[in-house]
């Protein structure tokens, strides 16, 4: 009997030792798994605030056969989620804002262009009206210069005077047409022809009429000086000289009109 009791006690002891060894091995295994899981997580610079780690319950029986609850801390899932770094986007936004500040705003350039266009348009209207009136008075005085003074001479006997008369008539008709066009533009703010060929035509016609008036006025003034040197002072050359001086005024007006049309040609804008 005593031998059987000793054998049973030895068996119990060996069983307890085996259980203790198994418990230690399981504890070591769980610790190693938790450490490996912690080492396997990616390094993060910034993490989202998360609640405390949730404990894991493991039922491991002790030597008395009971199963106490052992709490092993495990890393939370929310703490392992990396947060995206938003600094590149912020840098790109700052660079784009700096580029926008360096670039001139389209609204400011448009307002400047509109103000300059309005100023040039008003000046052009004034020069057109001046050229219209000077051409009208010039050819009217030249037509009235017939059978004047003691010589009873007439303008149609001299080709220089006829040339000056024709040039002023052409400038008068062209100025009247352009004044009507400008009045229509100012009243409706709509261009009849938006093709770029219009700018070339305006600039070319202004230049041609300006040079035509310059040559006609120069030749007529030379004819007046020659007549005065041969016959002396009279009412006929005085009227011719007045007509020639007004023709020079119309030439200056068309020269300024050609500058305005040249601006419209370079900027390709209706004025």
């Amino acid at each position: 009997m005593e031998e059987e009791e000793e054998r049973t006690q030895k068996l119990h002891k060996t069983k307890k030792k085996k259980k203790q060894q198994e418990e230690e091995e399981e504890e070591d295994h769980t610790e190693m798994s938790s450490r490996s899981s912690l080492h396997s997580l990616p390094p993060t610079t910034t993490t989202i605030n998360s609640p405390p780690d949730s404990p894991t319950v493991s039922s491991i029986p002790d030597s008395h056969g009971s199963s106490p609850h052992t709490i092993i801390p495990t890393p939370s899932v929310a703490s392992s989620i990396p947060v995206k770094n938003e600094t590149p986007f912020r840098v790109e936004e700052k660079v784009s804002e700096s580029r926008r500040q360096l670039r001139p705003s389209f609204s400011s350039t448009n307002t400047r262009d509109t103000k300059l266009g309005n100023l040039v348009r008003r000046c052009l209207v004034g020069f057109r009206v001046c050229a219209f009136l000077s051409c009208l008075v010039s050819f009217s005085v030249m037509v009235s210069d017939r059978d004047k003074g003691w010589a009873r001479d007439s303008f149609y006997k001299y080709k220089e005077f006829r040339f000056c008369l024709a040039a002023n008539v052409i400038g008068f008709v062209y100025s009247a047409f352009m004044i009507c066009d400008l009045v229509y533009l100012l009243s409706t703010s709509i261009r009849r022809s938006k093709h770029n060929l219009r700018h070339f035509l305006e600039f070319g016609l202004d230049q041609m009429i300006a040079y035509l008036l310059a040559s006609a006025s120069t030749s007529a003034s030379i004819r007046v000086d020659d007549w005065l040197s041969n016959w002396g002072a009279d009412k006929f050359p005085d009227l011719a000289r007045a007509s020639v001086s007004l023709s020079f005024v119309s030439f200056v007006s068309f020269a300024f009109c050609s500058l305005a049309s040249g601006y419209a040609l370079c900027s390709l804008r209706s004025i």
Side-chain angles (χ1 to χ4, degrees):
M1 294 293 290
E2 292 178 354
E3 291 177 357
E4 290 178 357
E5 288 179 358
E6 288 177 358
R7 289 177 182 177
T8 55
Q9 288 179 359
K10 287 180 180 180
L11 289 172
H12 284 298
K13 288 180 180 179
T14 54
K15 286 181 181 181
K16 286 181 180 180
K17 287 181 180 179
K18 287 181 180 180
K19 287 181 179 180
Q20 288 178 358
Q21 288 178 359
E22 289 176 357
E23 288 175 357
E24 289 176 357
E25 287 176 359
E26 288 178 357
E27 288 178 357
D28 294 333
H29 181 69
T30 53
E31 287 179 358
M32 291 294 293
S33 62
S34 63
R35 288 177 183 177
S36 62
S37 63
L38 287 172
H39 286 294
S40 63
L41 290 175
T44 56
T45 56
T46 57
T47 57
I48 300 172
N49 294 327
S50 61
D53 298 333
S54 59
T56 58
V57 179
S58 63
S59 60
I60 301 172
D62 57 357
S63 62
H64 298 286
S66 62
S67 59
H69 297 283
T70 59
I71 299 171
I72 299 171
T74 56
S76 62
V77 178
S79 62
S80 64
I81 298 173
V83 178
K84 293 182 179 179
N85 195 359
E86 296 181 355
T87 52
F89 298 101
R90 293 177 182 174
V91 171
E92 290 178 359
E93 289 178 357
K94 290 180 180 179
V95 171
S96 62
E97 288 178 358
S98 62
R99 287 178 180 175
R100 289 174 184 174
Q101 291 177 359
L102 291 174
R103 292 177 183 175
S105 60
F106 292 101
S107 61
S108 61
T109 54
N110 289 330
T111 52
R112 290 176 184 175
D113 292 339
T114 53
K115 287 180 180 179
L116 185 59
N118 291 329
L119 179 62
V120 173
R121 190 181 295 116
R122 291 172 184 174
C123 294
L124 183 60
V125 171
F127 291 134
R128 295 288 187 197
V129 171
C130 183
F132 173 78
L133 294 175
S134 60
C135 288
L136 175 62
V137 176
S138 178
F139 81 79
S140 298
V141 172
M142 186 63 75
V143 169
S144 65
D145 193 12
R146 181 185 296 176
D147 298 333
K148 300 292 182 181
W150 57 268
R152 299 293 179 181
D153 211 341
S154 181
F155 76 94
Y156 61 83
K157 292 181 180 179
Y158 304 95
K159 59 183 179 181
E160 293 86 0
F161 294 158
R162 295 198 302 269
F163 180 38
C164 184
L165 175 67
N168 281 283
V169 169
I170 294 171
F172 167 76
V173 174
Y174 176 72
S175 298
F177 176 75
M178 293 306 295
I179 287 170
C180 294
D181 188 32
L182 284 172
V183 169
Y184 177 79
L185 174 62
L186 292 173
S187 60
T188 59
S189 299
I190 298 172
R191 218 23 157 166
R192 291 180 183 176
S193 177
K194 295 182 180 180
H195 199 270
N196 294 332
L197 182 61
R198 182 184 183 86
H199 302 294
F200 288 97
L201 288 174
E202 288 182 2
F203 179 71
L205 289 173
D206 288 335
Q207 289 284 321
M208 289 172 61
I209 295 173
Y211 287 127
L212 183 66
L213 287 169
S215 61
S217 302
T218 304
S219 62
S221 64
I222 292 171
R223 180 73 263 183
V224 170
D225 292 336
D226 187 22
W227 199 96
L228 287 172
S229 63
N230 291 328
W231 305 101
D234 192 21
K235 190 176 181 180
F236 172 75
D238 291 339
L239 291 174
R241 180 173 286 177
S243 177
V244 170
S245 62
L246 289 170
S247 181
F248 275 114
V249 171
S250 61
F251 157 70
V252 173
S253 300
F254 271 104
F256 283 108
C257 291
S258 64
L259 290 176
S261 58
Y263 167 77
L265 177 61
C266 293
S267 61
L268 294 176
R269 188 180 291 106
S270 298
I271 59 173

